[in-house]
Amino acid sequence: GRRILKSRIDDMQSHMNEIERLAVESEAEAAAAAKMAPKKKFRRPRLTKTADTTTTSVEKSMPHQYAIHGNAIVVSMLVHELHHLPGGVATETLDTIIAVSKNLLNCQYSEGLVE
């Protein structure tokens, strides 16, 4: 159980890193598209690729979001059960869980990830 707990935490961290990478790429693509956008004229505004870029980055991040959610459920269930066993959960593992949780909570305020 403790090995599974550690592997799920590591998996959550790797998926979180991938989501952050996708957000940075999306921001860079949006900035490049904004530079390339034509100046406003008196005609109807043209559709830009920023909406397409956002959609594809959201679609790319969905499997990672699902994996983080599933791993978070597994981690919470294991911590709940392992704490009753002799030896419980190692302090180092609990510190890692708290750090990952804090990182996930901070993501809801990240401009790049919210968009």
Side-chain angles (χ1 to χ4, degrees):
R2 290 176 181 91
R3 278 188 258 150
I4 294 171
L5 181 64
K6 180 65 176 153
S7 69
R8 296 299 94 203
I9 294 168
D10 292 342
D11 197 30
M12 285 176 63
Q13 289 175 323
S14 67
H15 285 289
M16 190 61 216
N17 291 339
E18 192 63 24
I19 288 175
E20 289 172 349
R21 185 190 62 77
L22 288 171
V24 169
E25 284 179 3
S26 177
E27 286 177 1
E29 289 174 4
K35 268 187 161 179
M36 301 290 283
K39 293 183 180 180
K40 290 189 175 187
K41 297 182 181 178
F42 293 106
R43 293 187 233 150
R44 294 172 76 183
R46 290 181 156 183
L47 294 176
T48 61
K49 291 186 177 184
T50 56
D52 295 336
T53 302
T54 304
T55 302
T56 57
S57 66
V58 168
E59 290 171 356
K60 289 178 184 177
S61 73
M62 290 307 288
H64 300 291
Q65 293 180 41
Y66 297 147
I68 289 171
H69 183 260
N71 285 322
I73 291 171
V74 171
V75 167
S76 69
M77 292 172 65
L78 286 172
V79 167
H80 180 71
E81 292 301 319
L82 288 176
H83 116 346
H84 298 297
L85 296 177
V89 182
T91 306
E92 180 182 306
T93 304
L94 287 176
D95 289 342
T96 305
I97 291 171
I98 291 170
V100 170
S101 301
K102 184 178 177 183
N103 190 15
L104 288 172
L105 288 173
N106 287 334
C107 287
Q108 66 185 340
Y109 303 110
S110 173
E111 292 293 326
L113 295 176
V114 172
E115 295 174 2

Coordinates of all heavy atoms in Angstrom, one line a residue, residues 13-90:
Q13 N 2.3 14.3 -9.7 CA 3.3 15.4 -10.0 C 3.6 15.4 -11.5 O 3.8 16.5 -12.0 CB 4.5 15.2 -9.1 CG 4.3 15.5 -7.6 CD 5.5 15.2 -6.8 OE1 6.2 14.2 -7.0 NE2 5.7 16.0 -5.8
S14 N 3.8 14.3 -12.1 CA 4.2 14.3 -13.5 C 3.0 14.8 -14.4 O 3.3 15.6 -15.3 CB 4.6 12.9 -13.9 OG 3.5 12.0 -13.9
H15 N 1.8 14.5 -14.0 CA 0.7 15.0 -14.8 C 0.5 16.5 -14.6 O 0.2 17.3 -15.5 CB -0.6 14.3 -14.4 CG -0.7 12.9 -15.0 ND1 -0.9 12.7 -16.4 CD2 -0.6 11.7 -14.5 CE1 -1.0 11.4 -16.6 NE2 -0.8 10.8 -15.5
M16 N 0.8 17.0 -13.4 CA 0.7 18.4 -13.1 C 1.8 19.1 -13.9 O 1.5 20.2 -14.4 CB 0.9 18.6 -11.6 CG 0.6 20.0 -11.2 SD -1.1 20.5 -11.5 CE -0.9 22.2 -11.9
N17 N 3.0 18.6 -14.0 CA 4.0 19.2 -14.7 C 3.6 19.3 -16.2 O 3.9 20.3 -16.9 CB 5.3 18.4 -14.6 CG 5.9 18.6 -13.2 OD1 5.6 19.5 -12.5 ND2 6.8 17.6 -12.8
E18 N 3.0 18.3 -16.7 CA 2.6 18.3 -18.1 C 1.5 19.3 -18.4 O 1.5 20.0 -19.4 CB 2.0 16.9 -18.5 CG 1.8 16.7 -19.9 CD 3.1 16.8 -20.8 OE1 4.2 16.5 -20.2 OE2 3.0 17.1 -22.0
I19 N 0.6 19.5 -17.4 CA -0.5 20.5 -17.6 C 0.2 21.9 -17.6 O -0.2 22.8 -18.4 CB -1.5 20.4 -16.5 CG1 -2.4 19.2 -16.7 CG2 -2.4 21.6 -16.4 CD1 -3.4 18.9 -15.6
E20 N 1.1 22.1 -16.7 CA 1.8 23.4 -16.6 C 2.6 23.7 -17.9 O 2.6 24.8 -18.5 CB 2.8 23.5 -15.4 CG 2.0 23.6 -14.1 CD 2.9 23.4 -12.9 OE1 4.1 23.1 -13.1 OE2 2.4 23.7 -11.8
R21 N 3.2 22.6 -18.5 CA 3.9 22.8 -19.8 C 2.9 23.1 -20.9 O 3.2 24.0 -21.7 CB 4.6 21.5 -20.1 CG 5.5 21.6 -21.4 CD 6.0 20.2 -21.9 NE 4.9 19.3 -22.2 CZ 4.3 19.3 -23.4 NH1 4.5 20.3 -24.3 NH2 3.3 18.4 -23.6
L22 N 1.7 22.5 -20.9 CA 0.7 22.8 -21.9 C 0.2 24.2 -21.8 O 0.0 24.9 -22.8 CB -0.4 21.8 -21.8 CG -0.2 20.4 -22.3 CD1 -1.3 19.5 -21.9 CD2 0.1 20.4 -23.8
A23 N 0.1 24.7 -20.5 CA -0.4 26.1 -20.3 C 0.6 27.1 -20.8 O 0.3 28.1 -21.4 CB -0.6 26.3 -18.8
V24 N 1.9 26.8 -20.6 CA 3.0 27.7 -21.1 C 3.0 27.8 -22.6 O 3.1 28.8 -23.2 CB 4.4 27.3 -20.5 CG1 5.5 28.0 -21.2 CG2 4.4 27.6 -19.0
E25 N 2.9 26.6 -23.2 CA 2.8 26.5 -24.7 C 1.6 27.3 -25.2 O 1.7 28.0 -26.2 CB 2.8 25.1 -25.1 CG 4.1 24.4 -25.0 CD 4.0 22.9 -25.5 OE1 2.9 22.5 -26.0 OE2 5.0 22.2 -25.4
S26 N 0.5 27.1 -24.6 CA -0.7 27.8 -25.0 C -0.6 29.3 -24.9 O -1.0 30.1 -25.8 CB -1.9 27.4 -24.2 OG -3.1 28.0 -24.5
E27 N 0.0 29.8 -23.8 CA 0.3 31.2 -23.7 C 1.2 31.8 -24.7 O 1.0 32.8 -25.3 CB 0.9 31.5 -22.3 CG -0.1 31.4 -21.2 CD 0.6 31.7 -19.8 OE1 1.8 32.0 -19.8 OE2 -0.1 31.6 -18.8
A28 N 2.2 31.0 -25.1 CA 3.2 31.4 -26.1 C 2.5 31.5 -27.5 O 2.7 32.4 -28.3 CB 4.4 30.5 -26.1
E29 N 1.7 30.5 -27.8 CA 1.0 30.4 -29.0 C 0.0 31.6 -29.1 O -0.2 32.2 -30.2 CB 0.2 29.1 -29.2 CG 1.2 27.9 -29.5 CD 0.4 26.6 -29.5 OE1 -0.8 26.6 -29.4 OE2 1.1 25.6 -29.7
A30 N -0.7 31.9 -28.0 CA -1.7 33.0 -28.0 C -1.0 34.3 -28.2 O -1.5 35.2 -28.9 CB -2.5 33.0 -26.7
A31 N 0.2 34.5 -27.6 CA 1.0 35.7 -27.8 C 1.5 35.9 -29.2 O 1.4 37.0 -29.8 CB 2.2 35.8 -26.8
A32 N 1.9 34.8 -29.8 CA 2.3 34.8 -31.2 C 1.2 35.1 -32.1 O 1.3 35.9 -33.1 CB 3.0 33.5 -31.6
A33 N 0.0 34.6 -31.9 CA -1.2 34.8 -32.7 C -1.6 36.3 -32.6 O -2.1 36.9 -33.5 CB -2.3 33.9 -32.3
A34 N -1.5 36.8 -31.4 CA -1.8 38.2 -31.1 C -0.9 39.2 -31.9 O -1.3 40.2 -32.4 CB -1.8 38.6 -29.7
K35 N 0.4 38.8 -32.0 CA 1.3 39.6 -32.8 C 1.0 39.5 -34.3 O 1.1 40.5 -35.0 CB 2.7 39.1 -32.6 CG 3.5 39.7 -31.5 CD 4.9 39.2 -31.5 CE 5.8 40.1 -30.8 NZ 7.2 39.6 -30.7
M36 N 0.6 38.4 -34.7 CA 0.3 38.2 -36.1 C -1.1 38.7 -36.6 O -1.4 38.8 -37.7 CB 0.4 36.7 -36.5 CG 1.7 36.1 -36.2 SD 3.0 36.6 -37.3 CE 2.7 35.7 -38.7
A37 N -1.9 39.0 -35.6 CA -3.3 39.4 -35.9 C -3.3 40.8 -36.7 O -2.5 41.6 -36.4 CB -4.1 39.6 -34.6
P38 N -4.1 40.9 -37.7 CA -4.1 42.1 -38.5 C -4.6 43.3 -37.7 O -5.4 43.1 -36.7 CB -5.0 41.8 -39.7 CG -5.9 40.7 -39.2 CD -5.0 39.9 -38.2
K39 N -4.3 44.5 -38.1 CA -4.8 45.6 -37.4 C -6.2 45.8 -37.6 O -6.7 45.3 -38.7 CB -4.0 46.9 -37.8 CG -2.6 46.9 -37.4 CD -1.9 48.1 -37.8 CE -0.4 48.1 -37.4 NZ 0.3 49.3 -37.7
K40 N -6.9 46.4 -36.7 CA -8.4 46.5 -36.9 C -8.7 47.5 -38.0 O -8.1 48.5 -38.2 CB -9.0 47.1 -35.6 CG -9.0 46.1 -34.5 CD -9.8 46.6 -33.3 CE -9.9 45.6 -32.2 NZ -10.8 45.9 -31.2
K41 N -9.7 47.0 -38.8 CA -10.1 47.8 -39.9 C -11.6 48.1 -39.7 O -12.2 47.7 -38.7 CB -9.9 47.1 -41.2 CG -8.4 46.9 -41.5 CD -8.3 46.1 -42.8 CE -6.7 45.9 -43.0 NZ -6.5 45.2 -44.3
F42 N -12.3 48.7 -40.6 CA -13.7 49.0 -40.4 C -14.6 47.9 -40.8 O -15.8 48.0 -40.6 CB -14.0 50.3 -41.2 CG -13.4 51.5 -40.7 CD1 -12.3 52.1 -41.4 CD2 -13.8 52.1 -39.5 CE1 -11.7 53.2 -40.9 CE2 -13.1 53.2 -39.0 CZ -12.1 53.8 -39.7
R43 N -14.0 46.8 -41.2 CA -14.8 45.6 -41.6 C -15.1 44.8 -40.3 O -14.6 45.1 -39.3 CB -14.0 44.7 -42.6 CG -13.9 45.4 -43.9 CD -13.2 44.4 -44.9 NE -12.1 45.0 -45.4 CZ -11.0 44.4 -45.8 NH1 -10.9 43.1 -45.7 NH2 -10.0 45.1 -46.4
R44 N -15.8 43.7 -40.6 CA -16.1 42.8 -39.5 C -14.7 42.2 -39.0 O -13.9 41.9 -39.8 CB -17.0 41.7 -40.0 CG -18.4 42.2 -40.3 CD -19.2 41.2 -41.0 NE -19.7 40.2 -39.9 CZ -20.4 39.2 -40.2 NH1 -20.6 38.9 -41.5 NH2 -20.8 38.4 -39.3
P45 N -14.6 42.0 -37.7 CA -13.4 41.4 -37.2 C -13.2 40.0 -37.7 O -14.2 39.2 -37.8 CB -13.5 41.5 -35.7 CG -15.0 41.6 -35.5 CD -15.6 42.2 -36.7
R46 N -12.0 39.6 -38.0 CA -11.6 38.3 -38.4 C -11.5 37.4 -37.2 O -11.1 37.8 -36.1 CB -10.3 38.2 -39.2 CG -10.4 38.8 -40.5 CD -9.1 38.7 -41.2 NE -9.2 38.7 -42.6 CZ -8.2 38.5 -43.4 NH1 -7.0 38.3 -43.0 NH2 -8.4 38.6 -44.7
L47 N -11.8 36.1 -37.4 CA -11.6 35.2 -36.3 C -10.1 34.9 -36.2 O -9.5 34.7 -37.3 CB -12.4 33.9 -36.6 CG -13.9 34.0 -36.5 CD1 -14.5 32.7 -36.9 CD2 -14.4 34.4 -35.2
T48 N -9.6 34.8 -35.0 CA -8.2 34.5 -34.9 C -8.1 33.1 -34.4 O -9.0 32.4 -34.0 CB -7.5 35.4 -33.8 OG1 -8.2 35.3 -32.6 CG2 -7.6 36.9 -34.3
K49 N -6.8 32.6 -34.4 CA -6.6 31.2 -34.0 C -6.5 31.0 -32.5 O -6.3 29.9 -32.0 CB -5.3 30.7 -34.7 CG -5.4 30.6 -36.2 CD -4.2 29.9 -36.7 CE -4.3 29.7 -38.2 NZ -3.2 29.0 -38.8
T50 N -6.6 32.1 -31.7 CA -6.5 32.0 -30.3 C -7.6 31.1 -29.7 O -7.3 30.3 -28.8 CB -6.5 33.3 -29.6 OG1 -7.7 34.0 -29.9 CG2 -5.3 34.2 -29.9
A51 N -8.8 31.2 -30.2 CA -9.8 30.3 -29.7 C -9.5 28.8 -30.0 O -9.7 28.0 -29.2 CB -11.2 30.7 -30.3
D52 N -9.0 28.6 -31.2 CA -8.6 27.2 -31.6 C -7.5 26.7 -30.7 O -7.5 25.6 -30.3 CB -8.2 27.1 -33.1 CG -9.4 27.5 -34.0 OD1 -10.5 27.3 -33.6 OD2 -9.1 27.9 -35.2
T53 N -6.5 27.6 -30.5 CA -5.4 27.2 -29.6 C -5.8 26.8 -28.2 O -5.4 25.8 -27.7 CB -4.4 28.4 -29.6 OG1 -4.0 28.7 -30.9 CG2 -3.2 28.0 -28.7
T54 N -6.7 27.7 -27.7 CA -7.2 27.4 -26.3 C -8.0 26.1 -26.3 O -7.8 25.3 -25.4 CB -8.2 28.5 -25.9 OG1 -7.4 29.8 -26.0 CG2 -8.6 28.3 -24.4
T55 N -8.8 25.9 -27.3 CA -9.6 24.6 -27.3 C -8.7 23.4 -27.4 O -8.9 22.4 -26.7 CB -10.5 24.6 -28.6 OG1 -11.4 25.8 -28.5 CG2 -11.4 23.4 -28.6
T56 N -7.7 23.4 -28.2 CA -6.8 22.3 -28.4 C -5.9 22.1 -27.1 O -5.7 21.0 -26.7 CB -5.9 22.4 -29.6 OG1 -5.1 23.6 -29.5 CG2 -6.6 22.4 -30.9
S57 N -5.5 23.2 -26.4 CA -4.8 23.0 -25.2 C -5.6 22.4 -24.1 O -5.2 21.7 -23.3 CB -4.1 24.3 -24.8 OG -5.1 25.3 -24.4
V58 N -6.9 22.8 -24.1 CA -7.8 22.3 -23.1 C -8.0 20.8 -23.4 O -8.0 20.0 -22.4 CB -9.2 23.0 -23.1 CG1 -10.2 22.3 -22.3 CG2 -9.0 24.4 -22.5
E59 N -8.2 20.5 -24.6 CA -8.4 19.1 -25.0 C -7.2 18.2 -24.7 O -7.3 17.1 -24.2 CB -8.7 18.9 -26.5 CG -10.1 19.5 -26.8 CD -10.3 19.5 -28.3 OE1 -9.4 19.2 -29.1 OE2 -11.5 19.9 -28.7
K60 N -6.0 18.8 -24.9 CA -4.8 18.1 -24.5 C -4.6 17.9 -23.1 O -4.0 16.9 -22.6 CB -3.6 18.8 -25.1 CG -3.4 18.8 -26.6 CD -2.2 19.6 -27.0 CE -2.1 19.7 -28.5 NZ -1.0 20.5 -28.9
S61 N -5.1 18.8 -22.3 CA -4.9 18.7 -20.8 C -5.9 17.8 -20.1 O -5.7 17.4 -19.0 CB -4.9 20.1 -20.2 OG -6.2 20.6 -20.2
M62 N -7.0 17.5 -20.8 CA -8.1 16.8 -20.1 C -7.6 15.4 -19.6 O -7.9 15.1 -18.5 CB -9.3 16.6 -21.1 CG -10.1 17.9 -21.3 SD -10.5 18.8 -19.8 CE -11.9 17.7 -19.2
P63 N -6.9 14.6 -20.4 CA -6.4 13.3 -19.8 C -5.6 13.5 -18.6 O -5.7 12.7 -17.7 CB -5.6 12.7 -21.0 CG -6.1 13.3 -22.2 CD -6.5 14.7 -21.8
H64 N -4.8 14.5 -18.5 CA -3.9 14.8 -17.4 C -4.8 15.2 -16.2 O -4.5 14.8 -15.0 CB -2.9 15.9 -17.7 CG -2.0 15.5 -18.8 ND1 -1.1 14.5 -18.7 CD2 -1.9 16.0 -20.1 CE1 -0.4 14.4 -19.8 NE2 -0.9 15.3 -20.7
Q65 N -5.8 16.0 -16.4 CA -6.7 16.4 -15.4 C -7.5 15.2 -14.8 O -7.6 15.1 -13.6 CB -7.7 17.4 -15.9 CG -7.1 18.8 -16.2 CD -8.1 19.8 -16.7 OE1 -9.2 19.8 -16.2 NE2 -7.8 20.5 -17.7
Y66 N -7.9 14.3 -15.7 CA -8.6 13.1 -15.2 C -7.6 12.2 -14.4 O -8.0 11.7 -13.4 CB -9.1 12.3 -16.4 CG -10.1 13.0 -17.2 CD1 -10.2 12.7 -18.6 CD2 -11.1 13.8 -16.7 CE1 -11.2 13.3 -19.4 CE2 -12.0 14.4 -17.5 CZ -12.1 14.2 -18.8 OH -13.1 14.8 -19.6
A67 N -6.4 12.1 -14.8 CA -5.4 11.3 -14.1 C -5.1 11.9 -12.7 O -5.0 11.2 -11.7 CB -4.1 11.2 -14.9
I68 N -5.0 13.2 -12.7 CA -4.8 13.9 -11.4 C -6.0 13.6 -10.4 O -5.8 13.3 -9.3 CB -4.5 15.4 -11.5 CG1 -3.1 15.6 -12.2 CG2 -4.6 16.1 -10.2 CD1 -2.9 17.0 -12.6
H69 N -7.1 13.7 -11.0 CA -8.3 13.5 -10.2 C -8.4 12.1 -9.6 O -8.6 11.8 -8.4 CB -9.6 13.8 -11.0 CG -10.9 13.7 -10.2 ND1 -11.7 12.6 -10.3 CD2 -11.4 14.6 -9.3 CE1 -12.7 12.8 -9.5 NE2 -12.6 14.0 -8.9
G70 N -8.2 11.1 -10.5 CA -8.2 9.7 -10.1 C -7.1 9.4 -9.1 O -7.4 8.7 -8.1
N71 N -5.9 9.9 -9.3 CA -4.8 9.7 -8.4 C -5.1 10.3 -7.0 O -4.7 9.8 -6.0 CB -3.5 10.2 -9.0 CG -3.0 9.2 -10.0 OD1 -3.1 8.0 -9.9 ND2 -2.4 9.8 -11.1
A72 N -5.7 11.5 -7.0 CA -6.0 12.2 -5.8 C -7.0 11.3 -5.0 O -6.9 11.3 -3.7 CB -6.6 13.6 -6.1
I73 N -8.0 10.7 -5.6 CA -8.9 9.9 -4.9 C -8.2 8.7 -4.3 O -8.4 8.3 -3.2 CB -10.1 9.5 -5.9 CG1 -10.9 10.7 -6.2 CG2 -10.9 8.4 -5.2 CD1 -12.0 10.4 -7.3
V74 N -7.3 8.1 -5.1 CA -6.6 6.9 -4.6 C -5.7 7.3 -3.4 O -5.7 6.6 -2.4 CB -5.8 6.3 -5.7 CG1 -4.8 5.2 -5.2 CG2 -6.7 5.6 -6.8
V75 N -5.0 8.4 -3.5 CA -4.2 8.9 -2.4 C -5.0 9.1 -1.2 O -4.6 8.7 -0.1 CB -3.4 10.1 -2.8 CG1 -2.7 10.8 -1.6 CG2 -2.3 9.8 -3.9
S76 N -6.1 9.8 -1.3 CA -6.9 10.0 -0.1 C -7.5 8.8 0.5 O -7.5 8.6 1.8 CB -8.1 11.0 -0.5 OG -9.0 10.3 -1.3
M77 N -7.8 7.8 -0.3 CA -8.3 6.5 0.3 C -7.2 5.8 1.0 O -7.4 5.2 2.0 CB -8.9 5.7 -0.9 CG -10.2 6.2 -1.4 SD -10.8 5.4 -2.9 CE -11.2 3.8 -2.2
L78 N -6.0 5.8 0.3 CA -4.9 5.1 1.0 C -4.4 5.7 2.3 O -4.1 5.0 3.2 CB -3.7 5.0 0.0 CG -3.9 4.0 -1.2 CD1 -2.7 4.1 -2.2 CD2 -3.9 2.6 -0.6
V79 N -4.4 7.0 2.3 CA -4.0 7.7 3.5 C -5.0 7.4 4.6 O -4.6 7.2 5.8 CB -3.9 9.2 3.3 CG1 -3.8 10.0 4.6 CG2 -2.7 9.5 2.4
H80 N -6.3 7.4 4.2 CA -7.3 7.1 5.2 C -7.1 5.7 5.8 O -7.3 5.5 7.0 CB -8.7 7.2 4.6 CG -9.8 6.9 5.5 ND1 -10.1 7.8 6.6 CD2 -10.7 5.9 5.6 CE1 -11.2 7.3 7.2 NE2 -11.5 6.1 6.6
E81 N -6.8 4.7 5.0 CA -6.6 3.3 5.4 C -5.3 3.1 6.1 O -5.2 2.3 7.1 CB -6.8 2.4 4.3 CG -8.3 2.3 3.8 CD -9.3 2.0 4.8 OE1 -9.0 1.0 5.6 OE2 -10.3 2.6 4.9
L82 N -4.2 3.7 5.5 CA -2.9 3.4 6.0 C -2.6 4.0 7.4 O -1.8 3.5 8.1 CB -1.8 3.9 5.0 CG -1.7 3.1 3.8 CD1 -0.6 3.7 2.8 CD2 -1.3 1.6 4.0
H83 N -3.3 5.0 7.7 CA -3.0 5.7 9.0 C -3.5 4.8 10.2 O -3.0 5.0 11.3 CB -3.6 7.1 9.0 CG -4.7 7.4 9.9 ND1 -5.5 6.5 10.6 CD2 -5.3 8.6 10.3 CE1 -6.4 7.1 11.4 NE2 -6.3 8.3 11.2
H84 N -4.3 3.8 9.9 CA -4.8 2.9 11.0 C -3.8 1.7 11.2 O -3.8 1.1 12.2 CB -6.2 2.3 10.6 CG -7.2 3.3 10.6 ND1 -7.6 4.1 11.6 CD2 -8.0 3.7 9.5 CE1 -8.6 4.9 11.3 NE2 -8.9 4.7 10.0
L85 N -2.9 1.5 10.2 CA -2.0 0.4 10.3 C -0.8 0.7 11.2 O -0.5 1.9 11.4 CB -1.5 0.0 8.9 CG -2.6 -0.6 8.0 CD1 -2.0 -0.8 6.6 CD2 -3.2 -1.8 8.5
P86 N -0.1 -0.3 11.7 CA 1.1 0.0 12.5 C 2.2 0.7 11.6 O 2.4 0.3 10.5 CB 1.6 -1.4 12.9 CG 0.5 -2.3 12.7 CD -0.4 -1.7 11.7
G87 N 2.7 1.8 12.1 CA 3.7 2.5 11.3 C 3.0 3.7 10.6 O 3.7 4.7 10.3
G88 N 1.8 3.5 10.3 CA 1.0 4.6 9.6 C 1.6 5.1 8.3 O 2.2 4.3 7.5
V89 N 1.5 6.3 8.0 CA 2.1 6.9 6.8 C 3.3 7.7 7.2 O 3.3 8.5 8.2 CB 1.1 7.9 6.1 CG1 1.6 8.5 4.8 CG2 -0.2 7.1 5.8
A90 N 4.4 7.6 6.5 CA 5.6 8.3 6.8 C 5.4 9.8 6.7 O 4.7 10.3 5.9 CB 6.7 7.9 5.8

